[in-house]
């Protein structure tokens, strides 16, 4: 793309790979919050077998199994919102990863009646570059213990 400035044409810088990967990461969380199975399906890399590990659950291997799991999650999650902190991105040729802290607000199972529950997880999202853009290959989220940990006791 070019842009006219004072009669001279200047080349606009292309988006950095890091910013494109961060946008793909945002799209994943937007699909999750919206409960949008079509958008979630478009985020994931179908081959080679993707992997998804939610906090406290067994790994889900393969695109078809994962899409079934997302459909169940969306059907049983009336509300979820993510506030991402500590976001870091690394791109190495055709593979990239984003690490972040997922600060989660949700309703549904585990939340007080007619209320919300909060939680925190550390997540790693691994992306692969494809002809159609960066696609999520691996999502792994681990819960953060909110109290009683040795680190807290030492401080």
């Amino acid at each position: 793309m070019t842009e006219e400035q004072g009669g001279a044409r200047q080349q606009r810088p292309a988006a950095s790979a890091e910013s494109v990967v961060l946008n793909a990461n945002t799209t994943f969380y937007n699909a999750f919050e919206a409960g949008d199975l079509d958008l979630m399906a478009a985020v994931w890399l179908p081959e080679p077998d993707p992997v998804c590990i939610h906090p406290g659950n067994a790994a889900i291997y393969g695109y078809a199994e994962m899409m079934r799991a997302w459909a169940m999650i969306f059907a049983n999650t009336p509300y979820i919102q993510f506030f991402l902190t500590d976001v870091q991105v690394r791109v190495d040729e055709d593979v990239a990863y984003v690490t972040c802290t997922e600060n989660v607000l949700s309703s549904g199972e585990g939340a007080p009646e007619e209320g919300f529950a909060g939680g925190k997880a550390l997540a790693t999202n691994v992306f692969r570059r494809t002809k159609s853009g960066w696609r999520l290959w691996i999502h792994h989220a681990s819960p953060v213990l909110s109290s009683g940990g040795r680190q807290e006791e030492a401080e």
Side-chain angles (χ1 to χ4, degrees), residues 1 8 11 21-23 29 31 43-44 54 62 68 71-72 78 81 101 113 115 121 128-129 132 135 138 140 153-154:
M1 285 188 216
Q11 194 73 17
V21 169
L22 287 172
N23 284 338
Y29 287 101
V43 166
W44 282 90
H54 294 290
R68 278 192 283 280
M72 293 299 297
Q81 187 172 11
T101 301
E113 191 172 324
R128 288 186 68 168
R129 188 189 330 247
S132 60
R135 306 286 291 275
I138 301 166
H140 183 182
E153 291 173 1

Side-chain angles (χ1 to χ4, degrees), residues 63-139:
Y63 189 78
E65 287 297 316
M66 189 179 315
M67 288 304 110
R68 278 192 283 280
W70 281 116
M72 293 299 297
I73 289 168
F74 293 161
N76 293 294
T77 307
Y79 177 84
I80 192 162
Q81 187 172 11
F82 293 88
F83 302 93
L84 303 182
T85 56
D86 310 313
V87 178
Q88 300 288 320
V89 62
R90 170 71 191 251
V91 177
D92 189 9
E93 296 185 20
D94 291 338
V95 176
Y97 66 83
V98 176
T99 59
C100 61
T101 301
E102 300 175 344
N103 301 280
V104 184
L105 182 62
S106 64
S107 68
E109 187 177 324
E113 191 172 324
E114 297 191 30
F116 293 94
K120 188 180 281 195
L122 298 178
T124 302
N125 297 317
V126 180
F127 295 85
R128 288 186 68 168
R129 188 189 330 247
T130 69
K131 292 178 183 174
S132 60
W134 289 94
R135 306 286 291 275
L136 187 56
W137 186 22
I138 301 166
H139 169 74

